[in-house]
Structure formats: C-alpha cells, structure tokens
Amino acid sequence: SKRSGSVMDEPAVAYEPLCDTGQVISSIVFGPNISRRLGTVLGINVLPPGKAACTYRCLYCPLSPFLELVGSTAEVQGWPSSASVARALTDALGQVRLHHELDALVLIGNGEPTLHPELDRVLHEVRKARDILAPGAEVVVFTNSSLLWDRRISEALSKADCVVAKLDAVDEDLWRALNRPHKALPGLKDLLRGLKELRETLSSVGSRLIVSVMLLGPPKAGRGNASERHLKALSSFLSDLGPDQVHLETPMASLEPEARPLTREELVEAALYVSDLLGDERVFALTGTTVPISAGLLRTSRGMEEGARLKVRLPEDIMVLLTHGPGARTRVKILEALVGRKMNCNQLAKAVGVSWWSAQRHLERLLKAGLVRAIPFGRRTLYTITQPGLYALMALRRGLEGPGLPARLL
C-alpha cells in the first residue's frame, strides 16, 4: 500500500559503481561492495539520491552530521518511484552480471529504507529483476526497526529473503540516549512488538531475520548498552523473539564523545554472555573487517589460547571425577556434548546413551564440581559447559594431570 510522500520518476544518477555506504549516495544503485555478512552485494538506495533522511540520529552513525531527522515518510520529498528503482536496477544488473556474481541485492543507503512510500512495490520490482538477472542473489533489507509498529511495513518486508533489523536497546531511556529517535515515533514497546510481528511474518514465508546490535561501552558521561544488566534483558527478549541470528558489533570509531566502541575482548565477552541463553550457533561477533564469527568459535579459540598459555593441570578431585570409577567416561561424554551448545537432561541422556536418571546423577556431580552450569529456560533447565569444564577437557586430551587449576578460572 502507498503511503504519503512525493516520488519522482527519474533520478539524477541511476547507477554509480564506485560508491559505498560510508558516504551520502547520489544514485539509486551502487557497488558492487563487499559485505561482511552477505558477500558480494549490489546496493539499492531508495532514499532520495544525494539526500540522507532517517528516523534515528544514532550516536555512532557516520551519516549523523549530514542526515535529516524525520518522523514520517511525508516529511521527505523526491523519493525515487518504484518504476525508477526497477529501471535503475535492471540496467545495473545488465552491466554487473558480466563481471561479478552477486550474493545479494541489498536495500540500504542514505538512511532508513522502510520510509519509502512504495516499499511493497519496490521490493516486488527488486524480486522480479533478481529472478531474471541475478537468480542466485538474495533480496536483503537493512532496517533500524523504528517503523515496524506499522503492519504494512512488516507485510512489505515479507518479500525479502532476509531482513537485518537493528536493536540496540530494550530499555526506553537507553534507546533514546543511543539511537536518538525522532520525537514523533511511538515508544520502544511498540517497536519491540513490531519486531515480534515481523519475525512471525518472515517465518510464515520462510525468510530469515538477523538482529544486529551495536554495542557501546559506558563513557565518562553517558550510557552504554554492554553492561551485564542490559545484556541480560536483551538476551531475554531475543530468546523470546527467536531470530535466526544475532550479530553483535561495535563501531570502528565514533564522532560522538558519548559513544565509546568496545574493545575486542569486551565484544567477545558480550557475545559469549548472550550466547549462554541463545546458543553459540545463533550468536556472532563482528569486529573490524572480519566476517561474523560464531560464539562457538570464539569460545573454543579462547579455551585453546588460554590452555596453551596457562599449561592447564587438573585438580585431583576433578581428575578422579573424569578418569576414575564408574561413570567417569559418561561424564566426559556429557562435557563433550555440551561444547558449543546447550541441552536439557533428556537430550543429554540420548546423546551419550544413558537413562534420564543416570544423566541427572552425572549432571549433579558435574554441577557440584563447577564443570557445567544450569540455565533456567521457562519450565525447563538447560545445561552448558563452563570455562573450567573446557579446560578440564583440554587437559584430558593432552594427557596433562597434577594439582591446581588457576584459582581465577574457578
């Protein structure tokens, strides 16, 4: 359905190969660019060419000094029509396909693309061009999520193969401090409800939802969103939401003194914390120019690095628990099954080939030893391996033994 806002039939520039999202884009189609998430992508800027407009003025956004903060589509003039987008994309794909194989066509550019008054029709035209000229490419939309309270937006986004939706805060005051939304927007509760509705809509058509979280540390003055308190609340919401992936990142630099990027170690800590509830296979960290790195890989590589540096040795009671007496082999199998994942008692029993009661008894001993920990999950309890549990497994694999794990690891 069409929302208010004037459109123009012909843009000043339809296609610009040498352009990327680090600048105000003067064309409808740009690139190809290399995306950390998606590979080789062709960008589609549905904002008025040469003009930046957004519902947020985020602390960390490089376009922040140049964009117009708006609360609705009607405040922006000169939108490229869906027909203009279709023509520009068709012409660009005709050129690009001779030289590059594209992984995705991405709606992203000078601000918030879901402001476009003909979003549904634009996505229809993008899919049509993709099907003919780039059948191997996904259609992807990046959104700041601010307009998801409008069901028309979610319905339009269902035409995408994947939506990357921003969610930096689940606390109203923190959301306003970090994202600095236009005063006319509804509150955070409406945004969160809209995000859940989007998830349901995308799931119904087999499309994916990636939630992107930009993490900032607490500066001398201001507020960050990487505190344990906020990460706990964020993880709880994301667990209910059930996105396909969660991407945690931090800005490489910030123009605002109130926005402090996390160190790499802080970002890893945050990713591991969130993955404790969501699972290592769904949580990813993005830093620098790396592709998204799974929490499972971060957890394993950290364990190997620490193990090599510390020359891990098993305390005698843990060595006995895992190497002597009845059930020692089963307890080691339980630890191995929990590396990089969370499982309930019934799943563990099936994984290691024992009864539920036997698995429960072994888990009680491993919990007491600090090698696993329990995570309440609704009416169920999930179990995951701890850092000392990982070190114990490493020590067993290397044949190391003797007294004394370093106290700080316990």
Side-chain angles (χ1 to χ4, degrees):
S1 56
K2 187 172 180 178
R3 293 174 289 159
S4 58
S6 66
V7 297
M8 60 179 185
D9 286 331
E10 293 298 335
V13 180
Y15 174 49
E16 173 55 64
L18 295 177
C19 207
D20 59 45
T21 55
Q23 56 193 293
V24 176
I25 297 162
S26 58
S27 61
I28 291 180
V29 183
F30 61 97
N33 296 158
I34 297 298
S35 164
R36 295 177 297 173
R37 294 179 173 91
L38 304 168
T40 302
V41 306
L42 195 65
I44 304 168
N45 170 43
V46 296
L47 276 292
K51 183 177 182 179
C54 191
T55 51
Y56 285 173
R57 194 186 298 277
C58 297
L59 278 176
Y60 50 80
C61 179
L63 294 182
S64 183
F66 312 107
L67 64 80
E68 179 185 356
L69 183 64
V70 300
S72 68
T73 296
E75 296 176 48
V76 183
Q77 303 301 314
W79 295 99
S81 67
S82 57
S84 295
V85 173
R87 284 192 293 270
L89 181 58
T90 299
D91 291 346
L93 284 173
Q95 300 174 54
V96 172
R97 67 195 299 240
L98 301 177
H99 307 280
H100 300 277
E101 184 173 347
L102 296 172
D103 297 304
L105 307 179
V106 184
L107 265 70
I108 190 172
N110 298 341
E112 176 51 37
T114 64
L115 280 166
H116 197 286
E118 298 177 344
L119 180 65
D120 185 87
R121 187 67 190 173
V122 165
L123 283 168
H124 172 79
E125 295 293 345
V126 171
R127 286 187 68 93
K128 189 163 69 173
R130 183 277 307 272
D131 291 345
I132 297 171
L133 297 171
E138 283 192 305
V139 174
V140 182
V141 180
F142 280 70
T143 175
N144 66 17
S145 309
S146 62
L147 300 177
L148 294 180
W149 52 270
D150 186 341
R151 286 198 63 89
R152 292 175 298 175
I153 302 297
S154 292
E155 291 168 1
L157 290 176
S158 68
K159 289 183 169 61
D161 299 303
C162 177
V163 175
V164 181
K166 177 201 297 291
L167 181 64
D168 294 338
V170 292
D171 172 88
E172 179 89 18
D173 292 338
L174 192 55
W175 170 62
R176 294 190 180 280
L178 298 181
N179 298 132
R180 300 188 293 189
H182 191 280
K183 61 183 180 180
L185 292 179
L188 181 63
K189 287 184 179 180
D190 291 307
L191 183 158
L192 298 178
R193 185 182 66 252
L195 196 53
K196 289 183 177 180
E197 290 176 355
L198 174 64
R199 176 54 172 159
E200 293 174 1
T201 301
L202 294 179
S203 296
S204 69
V205 295
S207 297
R208 296 182 296 128
L209 174 64
I210 297 174
V211 173
S212 175
V213 184
M214 187 69 77
L215 292 175
L216 299 169
K220 293 182 179 179
R223 299 178 65 188
N225 59 346
S227 67
E228 182 175 350
R229 179 180 179 183
H230 181 256
L231 288 177
K232 183 177 180 179
L234 176 67
S235 300
S236 178
F237 174 80
L238 291 173
S239 179
D240 290 339
L241 179 66
D244 294 280
Q245 294 183 2
V246 175
H247 291 180
L248 303 178
E249 53 187 320
T250 195
M252 298 185 68
S254 176
L255 300 174
E256 299 279 354
E258 295 89 355
R260 178 180 72 79
L262 299 190
T263 65
R264 292 197 176 199
E265 182 59 28
E266 287 173 330
L267 184 62
V268 169
E269 289 288 347
L272 295 180
Y273 185 94
V274 174
S275 71
D276 278 345
L277 187 56
L278 273 69
D280 287 350
E281 70 284 354
R282 281 201 293 170
V283 178
F284 296 79
L286 285 78
T287 177
T289 58
T290 66
V291 298
I293 304 298
S294 72
L297 178 56
L298 293 173
R299 197 181 301 278
T300 302
S301 63
R302 169 181 279 196
M304 293 178 65
E305 178 182 323
E306 289 289 327
R309 184 170 62 85
L310 295 170
K311 192 177 180 180
V312 173
R313 295 178 295 170
L314 287 177
E316 185 176 351
D317 59 338
I318 292 180
M319 184 170 63
V320 170
L321 182 68
L322 299 179
T323 61
H324 294 79
R329 183 174 178 81
T330 298
R331 289 188 283 275
V332 172
K333 286 183 178 180
I334 288 175
L335 291 180
E336 290 174 338
L338 290 174
V339 173
R341 63 176 71 95
K342 297 168 186 64
M343 305 173 76
N344 61 36
C345 187
N346 190 50
Q347 291 169 326
L348 280 169
K350 291 180 180 179
V352 302
V354 299
S355 69
W356 184 92
W357 293 106
S358 178
Q360 186 65 38
R361 287 197 300 270
H362 290 305
L363 281 169
E364 288 173 358
R365 297 189 67 179
L366 293 170
L367 284 165
K368 186 176 180 181
L371 302 182
V372 302
R373 69 187 182 90
I375 303 172
F377 188 71
R379 296 182 178 181
R380 296 181 295 162
T381 299
L382 301 181
Y383 299 91
T384 187
I385 193 169
T386 61
Q387 284 292 101
L390 280 172
Y391 295 135
L393 273 183
M394 291 170 53
L396 289 174
R397 289 170 180 171
R398 296 180 184 184
L400 302 176
E401 55 183 58
L405 263 177
R408 72 181 184 89
L409 301 178
L410 300 175

